[in-house]
Amino acid sequence: MQATAQTVRPDSYLTLHYRLTDEAGSEYVSTFDLSPATFQLGCGQLAETLEKCLIGLKAGERRTFHLDAGAAFGQHNPQLVEPIARSLLPPEIELKEGTPIQFSNMQQNAEIAGFLRELTATTATIDFNHPLAGKALRFEVEIIGIL
């Protein structure tokens, strides 16, 4: 009987190297020069859109996926960019553009992350889009092992 290579399933526990860049080559994250990542699919450790790329790959396989903005982290939604009174921001954080800020959403009992995009004397403009929203991405993976 011939052994078949194990493939990645939606609930697989796997070890891999991965790199996420934009189409111009600017790198956002890479494990290729570090230790590989190990996690279980379906647990929210990797974006669902990226997990879907892995389904069906075999151990030892290396692939590159090109994702347009809609298929990656969605289009940038201007309705998710909101001015907030500066006095409502947590006093313990350093206020500078690009700073991530956590907000509590009492209605959903959850934390929501936003990024400080602009700061004036009275307001802070917070962008609640994913930081990579609106960007076409290149997702390079090498499956090391499937457990």
Side-chain angles (χ1 to χ4, degrees), residues 31-127:
T31 65
F32 281 96
D33 293 330
L34 306 168
S35 296
T38 299
F39 53 84
Q40 184 169 6
L41 296 185
C43 292
Q45 295 170 294
L46 188 65
E48 185 178 342
T49 54
L50 301 179
E51 285 188 0
K52 287 180 182 177
C53 294
L54 303 175
I55 306 301
L57 296 181
K58 294 176 176 36
E61 193 169 352
R62 187 170 182 153
R63 296 270 312 269
T64 300
F65 300 91
H66 297 271
L67 305 167
D68 65 31
F73 291 95
Q75 297 296 336
H76 188 271
N77 182 347
Q79 293 180 338
L80 295 178
V81 179
E82 298 183 27
I84 294 176
R86 192 172 173 161
S87 61
L88 296 176
L89 295 175
E92 69 277 2
I93 65 167
E94 180 182 355
L95 297 177
K96 64 180 184 178
E97 290 183 15
T99 301
I101 302 173
Q102 291 287 110
F103 294 89
S104 294
N105 181 336
M106 299 300 196
Q107 295 169 336
Q108 295 178 348
N109 196 27
E111 293 286 315
I112 300 172
F115 290 86
L116 180 60
R117 295 294 177 216
E118 187 178 325
L119 190 62
T120 70
T122 58
T123 63
T125 302
I126 308 295
D127 187 345

Side-chain angles (χ1 to χ4, degrees), residues 1-32:
M1 181 180 272
Q2 196 174 26
T4 58
Q6 193 173 11
T7 61
V8 177
R9 297 185 330 252
D11 63 345
S12 289
Y13 190 75
L14 54 108
T15 300
L16 76 160
H17 276 297
Y18 69 97
R19 177 179 293 120
L20 195 59
T21 65
D22 61 22
E23 290 294 336
S26 296
E27 190 173 271
Y28 297 104
V29 64
S30 176
T31 65
F32 281 96

